[in-house]
Amino acid sequence: MDGPTFLMLTDKTNAAAICHRMIGYDFPWEINRALELAVLRTFCVPRISQLLHNTGEFVHRPQKRYDDTSLILGNIMKWGYDSPRGEAAIAQMNRIHQRYAIHNQDFLYVLSVLIYEPVRWNQRFGWRPFTSVEKQALFNFWRVVGERMAIEDIPATYKAFQAFNQAYEAEHFCYHPSNQVIGNAVVNLMQSWFPAIMTPLIPWGVKAVVDEPMRQALGWSQPPQILTQAICWSLRKMRQTLRWLPRRRQSAFKVDEPNQTYPVEYDIGQLGPAHTASERPATRCPFARMQSLLGSRHQSS
């Protein structure tokens, strides 16, 4: 087995330690970009995007939803699922979503993109590919998180879960107007993070890095081939230069950085959408349970 064999995957603790190193030190930029793309990927499923379009929650408060998500998942990824903060973050996710009735298959898909989207992104744009040990660690790490969220029937192996991910996308990815509305809302949020002079370039950059099934499901036009090639080439070259630089000595977890919603401090128990007395426990939004930025309300069909 290639990679850091000094951390053999003999138990869950080592998987958490490997993921801590990957996310905080070796691949923070790659994994954060991949998780942003993973959000877009779930919007290619109409039953997810229709919920968001009907509620308007994501469109009206996108930055808070993004920041809540970063902090909840960030605490799990930095501290591990057995730490006090990691356990608190998982407990908060469960408290937020225990009121919801959600298809287990959709939970499985959302869990799977947290594993395989970073793998796909890093294969294309990482300063080096993930090793087999690192891929297995991602699988083991998120599988434990899924178990603690009471997600059922999680495949037992990396390859089996990858096959589920691919089969689910082949069956459920298709265009719907709500896909495009919510996908554009995400791109608008990304544009707000950059100086005005750069904002016209962001949609082209996003469209260049998503794959063709995503573009079709989101109703996006394909950028000129020469532009796509230039953007992808630039991303690869930019990251590959890191291969020759000294390794990072300070961690770069998003959870350690101030954000727009919580510039000073936050309470894990207060992250996520507020629960109101009029809320009905019938939403069918799979991404809401995994990421509080999609915490919205919806009557089941």
Side-chain angles (χ1 to χ4, degrees), residues 15 46 60 66 71 87 94 97 138 167 190 192 206 214 224:
H60 296 318
Y66 178 89
L71 292 172
E87 290 178 343
N94 290 335
H97 304 113
L138 281 172
M190 293 177 177
S192 72
V206 176
M214 287 184 66

Side-chain angles (χ1 to χ4, degrees), residues 91-153:
Q92 181 63 5
M93 278 200 297
N94 290 335
R95 280 194 295 269
I96 291 169
H97 304 113
Q98 64 184 339
R99 69 195 94 143
Y100 299 143
I102 306 169
H103 293 296
N104 189 71
Q105 187 184 49
D106 296 334
F107 284 139
L108 286 171
Y109 175 66
V110 173
L111 188 68
S112 73
V113 298
L114 300 178
I115 301 168
Y116 301 106
E117 199 57 39
V119 173
R120 285 189 286 251
W121 178 276
N122 203 64
Q123 184 66 35
R124 296 176 67 194
F125 304 120
W127 63 271
R128 69 162 172 81
F130 292 154
T131 66
S132 58
V133 169
E134 289 166 337
K135 292 177 184 178
Q136 186 66 35
L138 281 172
F139 168 78
N140 288 351
F141 183 90
W142 288 113
R143 193 174 195 277
V144 172
V145 174
E147 289 170 350
R148 296 186 184 188
M149 294 181 66
I151 299 176
E152 300 175 350
D153 301 322

Side-chain angles (χ1 to χ4, degrees), residues 16 24 26 52 64 139 148 164 171-172 186 227 230 234 254 274:
D26 291 343
L52 298 174
K64 182 179 185 302
F139 168 78
R148 296 186 184 188
F164 166 84
E171 179 180 356
H172 294 284
V186 172
L227 178 62
S234 297
K254 292 283 288 183

Side-chain angles (χ1 to χ4, degrees), residues 147-300:
E147 289 170 350
R148 296 186 184 188
M149 294 181 66
I151 299 176
E152 300 175 350
D153 301 322
I154 303 173
T157 68
Y158 179 95
K159 288 186 176 180
F161 207 6
Q162 185 177 40
F164 166 84
N165 172 274
Q166 294 168 348
Y168 179 100
E169 291 186 354
E171 179 180 356
H172 294 284
F173 272 28
C174 63
Y175 174 75
H176 190 279
S178 60
N179 297 8
Q180 191 168 12
V181 170
I182 303 304
N184 289 344
V186 172
V187 174
N188 291 339
L189 173 62
M190 293 177 177
Q191 287 179 297
S192 72
W193 301 336
F194 295 89
I197 194 173
M198 295 181 61
T199 56
L201 303 176
I202 304 306
W204 290 111
V206 176
K207 291 177 183 180
V209 299
V210 302
D211 56 36
E212 188 59 27
M214 287 184 66
R215 273 194 293 267
Q216 292 182 7
L218 293 167
W220 288 351
S221 60
Q222 186 172 13
Q225 186 175 8
I226 189 170
L227 178 62
T228 298
Q229 291 173 344
I231 290 173
C232 292
W233 181 87
S234 297
L235 285 171
R236 284 192 295 269
K237 292 303 178 182
M238 179 184 69
R239 302 311 298 172
Q240 287 172 3
T241 58
L242 296 182
R243 181 186 297 272
W244 313 109
L245 298 179
R247 298 283 71 80
R248 181 186 297 275
R249 295 191 177 185
Q250 290 187 323
S251 66
F253 289 97
K254 292 283 288 183
V255 73
D256 293 332
E257 303 173 1
N259 58 51
Q260 294 185 35
T261 309
Y262 310 99
V264 179
E265 61 183 12
Y266 63 92
D267 182 343
I268 291 178
Q270 295 178 346
L271 298 175
H275 179 57
T276 64
S278 61
E279 189 170 31
R280 299 181 182 182
T283 184
R284 292 257 180 212
C285 175
F287 214 91
R289 185 170 178 183
M290 286 299 298
Q291 297 204 0
S292 60
L293 63 85
L294 305 183
S296 303
R297 297 178 294 278
H298 182 59
Q299 288 186 334
S300 63

